[in-house]
């Protein structure tokens, strides 16, 4: 295939020591995927905010060199049928290391994997991070959304998401069933679909280590390992064990377990050390609603991480406001966490907040904290002034409903 992408002249690549230890030049090349459906609307709005925030924070000393790369429907229009995720898009993200994307349509049927899953697997983006905090004025279903300030680290490569499953009635299912019932002593009904849930020591340890490193770098107080180990001992239970193990192996002196702090009636002071604790998943869903301020960084396997991320996002205003990033040792892709909302495509209507806050998380990741803070300030102030898109306006009294682009403009005026 002919090389069709031309990176912007004058920019350079972000330096990558490992996950969460990157150094950005003043003019980093950052590839972006606009996305399908509402993608072009929210990307245009978000880019306006990003450029204004960087200009406000650094007065021309720093500037992102945006580099458009293609995936989804735009890639097919450019590269031809079936080319949902061209190799050169993956190569560009590998080369430039930090990218940002809008939502992509998951092609239905035809044996296509989700593009998002493919991106994560191809680039080995093993942590899905979701910072969740409340912006004053955002409508919330809970009484104290201001108590939520957590960063979720969800394992991104295995668990039931590994996609290893067999359909009921197929020869493959028959073989697996015969092995399990015949040789392993199980009693699985013959009319079952069967799925496999792999959770490995390596992938668990690198995920929990990244969460602990993040907590140490950012001055966070605790890392909570969430699992369903009381039922699934060798997968979820092992996730818990390996989580504690990696804390002791890699961060002795910098971490302490909750159990160690509790001495009868007395609670020891952890000092500067990050407290490692664990919770069973069902209890955690209750705890995060009732006592969210006791949680800080949270590490989970893939499926429970998926659920808890959306549940916590709901507490602080819903998916329209939830940022996300997929991070590996040599690349990171930040993304809006909602889908392509096709019915709103091209209407300049939806909330660009998720993509804008994903950009803020990206700036924090590359060490541009002032750009991140400017975005957060602008967003909070626009919402406090009740200038919001339809999704928030319908839940607020006295709000001024504005378009996607006008919301971005309101943020820019308040950076
Ligand atoms: P969706 O696109 O997230 O939309 C569902 C509903 O969520 C919308 O109808 C809208 O609700 C609300 N919503 C989503 N984004 C919003 C925004 N920016 N501002 C305000 N409201 C927003 O979910 P879907 O309809 O299930 O999925 C559509 C396509 O997106 C599918 O092809 C799916 O595979 C794909 N998808 C992609 C990603 C990704 O790329 N990361 C993630 C999820 C889904 P109201 O109509 O109530 O206002």
């Amino acid at each position: 295939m002919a090389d069709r992408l031309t990176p912007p002249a004058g920019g350079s690549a972000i330096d990558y020591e490992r996950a969460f230890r990157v150094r950005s030049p003043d003019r980093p090349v950052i590839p972006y995927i606009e996305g399908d459906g509402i993608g072009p609307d929210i990307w245009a709005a978000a880019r306006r905010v990003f450029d204004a925030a960087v200009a406000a924070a650094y007065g021309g000393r720093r500037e992102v060199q945006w580099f458009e790369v293609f995936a989804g429907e735009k890639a097919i229009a450019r590269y031809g049928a079936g080319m949902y995720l061209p190799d050169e898009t993956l190569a560009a993200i590998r080369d430039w290391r930090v990218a940002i994307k809008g939502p992509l349509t998951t092609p239905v049927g035809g044996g296509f994997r989700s593009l998002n899953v493919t991106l994560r697997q191809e680039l080995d983006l093993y942590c899905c991070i979701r910072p969740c905090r409340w912006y004053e004025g955002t409508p919330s279903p809970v009484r104290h959304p201001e108590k939520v300030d957590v960063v979720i680290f969800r394992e991104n490569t295995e668990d039931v998401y590994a996609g290893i499953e067999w359909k009921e009635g197929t020869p493959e299912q028959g073989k697996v069933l015969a092995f399990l019932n015949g040789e392993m002593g199980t009693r699985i009904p013959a009319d079952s679909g069967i799925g496999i849930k792999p959770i490995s020591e390596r992938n668990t340890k690198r995920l929990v280590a990244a969460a602990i490193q993040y907590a140490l770098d950012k001055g966070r107080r605790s890392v909570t390992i969430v699992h369903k180990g009381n039922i699934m001992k060798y997968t979820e239970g092992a996730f818990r064990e390996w989580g504690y193990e990696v804390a002791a192996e890699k961060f002795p002196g910098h971490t302490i377990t909750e159990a160690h702090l509790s001495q009868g009636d007395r609670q020891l002071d952890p000092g500067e050390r990050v407290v490692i604790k664990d919770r069973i998943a069902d209890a955690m869903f209750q705890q995060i609603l009732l006592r969210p301020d006791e949680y800080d960084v949270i590490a989970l396997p893939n499926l429970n991480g998926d659920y808890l991320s959306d549940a916590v996002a709901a507490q602080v205003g819903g998916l329209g406001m939830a940022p996300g990033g997929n991070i590996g040792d040599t690349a990171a892709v930040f993304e809006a966490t909602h889908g392509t909302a096709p019915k709103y495509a091209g209407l300049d209507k939806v909330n660009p907040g998720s993509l804008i806050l994903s950009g803020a998380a990206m700036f924090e990741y590359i060490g541009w904290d002032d750009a991140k803070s400017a975005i957060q300030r602008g967003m909070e102030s626009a919402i406090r002034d009740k200038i919001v898109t339809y999704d928030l306006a319908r839940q607020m009294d006295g709000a001024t409903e504005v378009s996607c682009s006008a919301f971005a403009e309101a943020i820019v005026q308040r950076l």
Side-chain angles (χ1 to χ4, degrees):
M1 186 204 310
D3 200 34
R4 293 161 208 238
L5 295 177
T6 315
S12 42
I14 288 166
D15 226 6
Y16 227 104
E17 198 180 307
R18 59 161 171 73
F20 300 98
R21 187 146 297 168
V22 304
R23 213 179 17 252
S24 177
D26 285 340
R27 291 190 160 36
V29 172
I30 299 190
Y32 68 92
I33 295 167
E34 200 174 57
D36 299 326
I38 55 173
D41 291 356
I42 59 173
W43 171 254
R47 180 174 171 164
R48 167 92 181 94
V49 172
F50 299 155
D51 287 338
V54 170
Y58 307 113
R61 191 165 58 79
R62 288 178 164 164
E63 186 181 42
V64 175
Q65 307 295 303
W66 298 111
F67 175 22
E68 181 163 19
V69 299
F70 301 92
E73 287 156 14
K74 224 170 162 178
I76 290 172
R78 204 176 162 97
Y79 294 86
M83 300 294 287
Y84 286 105
L85 188 58
D87 287 344
E88 61 176 353
T89 295
L90 283 171
I93 299 173
R94 268 194 200 101
D95 289 348
W96 300 103
R97 302 190 179 121
V98 174
I100 185 162
K101 66 176 273 293
L104 291 168
T105 307
T106 299
V108 179
F112 290 109
R113 275 189 301 174
S114 146
L115 296 183
N116 298 304
V117 173
T118 308
L119 258 176
R120 289 168 199 166
Q121 288 179 347
E122 291 289 327
L123 299 168
D124 197 19
L125 306 175
Y126 60 86
C127 307
C128 176
I129 60 153
R130 282 272 196 98
C132 281
R133 55 156 280 202
W134 185 65
Y135 290 87
E136 196 188 330
T138 313
S140 160
V142 298
R143 272 193 296 172
H144 290 291
E146 75 284 357
K147 290 187 177 175
V148 179
D149 182 6
V150 300
V151 183
I152 294 178
F153 277 66
R154 163 187 165 198
E155 206 290 326
N156 226 358
T157 65
E158 55 184 10
D159 196 351
V160 283
Y161 280 65
I164 309 168
E165 53 176 13
W166 295 278
K167 187 172 157 69
E168 178 269 325
T170 59
E172 293 78 12
Q173 180 261 15
K175 269 192 197 170
V176 176
L177 192 76
F179 168 69
L180 290 174
N181 283 353
E183 295 188 36
M184 303 302 289
T186 58
R187 291 162 155 235
I188 299 171
D191 58 350
S192 304
I194 299 176
I196 299 274
K197 176 184 175 77
I199 291 199
S200 67
E201 179 175 353
R202 169 184 178 265
N203 289 334
T204 299
K205 284 189 168 175
R206 65 181 182 169
L207 182 271
V208 178
I212 296 171
Q213 186 65 57
Y214 177 89
L216 288 167
D217 290 347
K218 304 290 176 192
R220 295 272 183 166
R221 293 160 301 152
S222 67
V223 173
T224 305
I225 300 164
V226 178
H227 58 91
K228 191 68 187 162
N230 53 332
I231 304 296
M232 293 167 272
K233 297 188 189 335
Y234 306 127
T235 50
E236 300 271 332
F239 183 87
R240 171 185 179 277
E241 296 306 317
W242 290 323
Y244 279 115
E245 264 176 41
V246 78
E249 288 161 6
K250 280 194 83 170
F251 306 96
H254 296 287
T255 57
I256 185 155
T257 63
E258 186 179 49
H260 271 105
L261 287 176
S262 188
Q263 304 280 321
D265 293 346
R266 239 161 32 96
Q267 273 299 112
L268 299 183
D269 178 0
E272 297 290 296
R273 284 172 295 186
V274 169
V275 178
I276 310 294
K277 49 191 175 182
D278 76 279
R279 297 289 181 269
I280 290 178
D282 43 339
M284 185 65 187
F285 275 83
Q286 193 181 82
Q287 294 257 315
I288 201 72
L289 275 170
L290 300 178
R291 299 207 294 274
D293 47 347
E294 289 181 15
Y295 297 94
D296 204 329
V297 176
I298 305 173
L300 312 91
N302 209 336
L303 179 63
N304 278 319
D306 196 2
Y307 296 157
L308 194 75
S309 299
D310 280 16
V312 180
Q315 283 178 243
V316 294
L319 285 186
M321 295 290 291
N326 298 288
I327 293 169
D329 284 334
T330 55
V333 178
F334 290 81
E335 66 175 351
T337 51
H338 52 73
T340 58
K343 66 182 174 185
Y344 297 120
L347 300 183
D348 190 20
K349 181 176 171 76
V350 294
N351 186 351
S354 173
L355 190 58
I356 291 174
L357 292 175
S358 298
M362 179 183 77
F363 285 129
E364 179 186 25
Y365 184 71
I366 68 170
W368 292 15
D369 285 350
D370 291 343
K372 174 197 107 164
S373 303
I375 293 172
Q376 289 183 332
R377 256 194 326 270
M379 172 85 88
E380 191 150 44
S381 157
I383 295 173
R384 210 184 297 119
D385 292 346
K386 299 191 173 189
I387 301 173
V388 290
T389 45
Y390 81 98
D391 54 314
L392 298 182
R394 68 187 169 189
Q395 304 173 65
M396 292 162 78
D397 291 330
T400 306
E401 181 183 322
V402 294
S403 65
C404 175
S405 55
F407 182 53
E409 222 36 65
I411 295 171
V412 168
Q413 282 161 18
R414 292 165 174 77
L415 291 171

